[in-house]
Amino acid sequence: MTSPAPAPPVSAVGVVGAGAVGQAVAGALVASGLCARLLVASRTPEQTAALVADLDDMRAAVGSPARPAAVLLAELVDCRAVVVAVRARFTNSHTTDVRMGGAHANAPVVRALGAALRGYSGTVLMVTNPVDVMARLFADASGCARVFGIGSNLDSARYRLTLARLLDVPLDAVDGHVIGEHGDAAVVCASATRVNGHPLPVPLQQVRDELAARPGRINAGIGRTRSGPAGAVVTALRLALGVEDGLVELSAPYRDGWLGIPLRFTAGRPLPCLPALDEAEARQLDAVHAKLRAAYRALRDTPSSSLPTVRTP
C-alpha cells in the first residue's frame, strides 16, 4: 500500500519576532516544509537579516520548500497565518505566576502589532506571554477573527510526557489535557485522562510539581524555552490551516472570556471540545476564567508602542 502524497505547502506563513523563540519557530517551520514562503518581521533589521540567511542555509540543507525573506509588518497581510513571538525588553522579577510577569511590558507591543495588522483575515498564533491574555489583546486590537494562543497545547504535551514517564507507558498511550491558562493555575484534567483507553489514577501532585518545575529547568539551562513552543506552533498550524484534521488545546474565545480549551479542527474550522470535568476541576476552571478576565481588564487600555518601519536589507 502506498502512503498518501504529502499535502502541498501553504502559500506563506509570517513570523513576527527574531529573538530566541522566533528563531526556533522559524526554524521549525522551515524544517516542516509547511509553507512555500516564510516571511519574518522584527524590530531589529540586522538580527532579522542574519536569521533569514541562516534559515536559507537550512532550506538548502534539508531541501525545504520554505523560502525565507525579511519583510515589513504590512507585507504579512497576504500570509495564510502569522505567528507572534515578540518580547519586550524587561526583567521578570516574578517567582510565582512567572508568565504574568511580562504582561505590562508586552501588552503595548502586542496592541501595536494588532493595530498594524488591523483587518487581517488569516490565522494568528500568539506565543508571547501571558499568552492567553495577549491573544485576546491582539484579537481586540486587530479585529482578526482567528486568533489562538498556543500555551495549553504546550502544557498538554508536557502533561502527557510526564504522565507517560511516571506510569512507564509509551507517550501515545496517554490521552489527557491541560486547559484554562498557560501558567500556575492551569487545570489538569485528571478525571478525563485515559491511558491505553482506560481511566487510571493520576499522581496529580507529582504531575503538578513537574509541570511547575520543567520550564524553570529549561530556562536555567538554555536561557529560554524554545523548541517546545516551536513544536506547539507547527502542530497548531497544521490543524488551523486545514492541512490535517485533529484536536489541539489552544486559547480561544470561550464563554465571556478567553481560555485554553481543546479545539477539534475539521478542514481548518475549530469546534470547542471541553472534556468532562469533576467538581474540583470545574471550580479551578471558573477561577482561571475570573483571573484571566481581570488580567485582561487591567491591560485593555494600555497605550500601544511605536513600531519601526525600516525594511531589512
Side-chain angles (χ1 to χ4, degrees), residues 50-229:
L51 174 57
V52 166
D54 197 30
L55 294 171
D56 218 14
D57 290 348
M58 172 186 270
R59 174 178 73 94
V62 303
S64 171
R67 293 178 290 110
V71 299
L72 301 176
L73 278 173
E75 295 174 80
L76 299 179
V77 295
D78 293 327
C79 290
R80 289 283 308 280
V82 172
V83 182
V84 178
V86 298
R87 184 182 188 274
R89 293 183 179 89
F90 71 97
T91 300
N92 195 338
S93 60
H94 282 213
T95 56
T96 59
D97 218 4
V98 173
R99 296 174 184 90
M100 281 290 179
H104 287 280
N106 287 329
V109 179
V110 168
R111 286 179 61 86
L113 288 171
L117 293 173
R118 182 77 188 170
Y120 174 65
S121 61
T123 296
V124 175
L125 291 187
M126 179 61 62
V127 182
T128 303
N129 276 320
V131 63
D132 308 288
V133 180
M134 294 298 111
R136 185 175 182 181
L137 280 174
F138 184 95
D140 287 351
S142 67
C144 180
R146 286 176 57 88
V147 181
F148 306 101
I150 61 101
S152 292
N153 183 11
L154 179 56
D155 288 337
S156 296
R158 288 170 171 166
Y159 172 50
R160 292 188 283 265
L161 187 67
T162 298
L163 197 55
R165 178 179 58 81
L166 290 173
L167 299 179
D168 193 24
V169 298
L171 179 58
D172 60 7
V174 180
D175 179 14
H177 310 282
V178 177
I179 63 173
E181 76 155 346
H182 181 48
D184 291 2
V187 180
V188 177
C189 301
S191 64
T193 296
R194 299 292 182 267
V195 177
N196 288 318
H198 302 288
L200 196 74
V202 173
L204 196 53
Q205 191 57 54
Q206 288 178 275
V207 165
R208 289 190 179 281
D209 289 346
E210 173 60 13
L211 294 181
R214 191 177 185 88
R217 290 201 308 270
I218 295 171
N219 290 343
I222 61 174
R224 195 169 308 284
T225 55
R226 312 159 191 249
S227 299

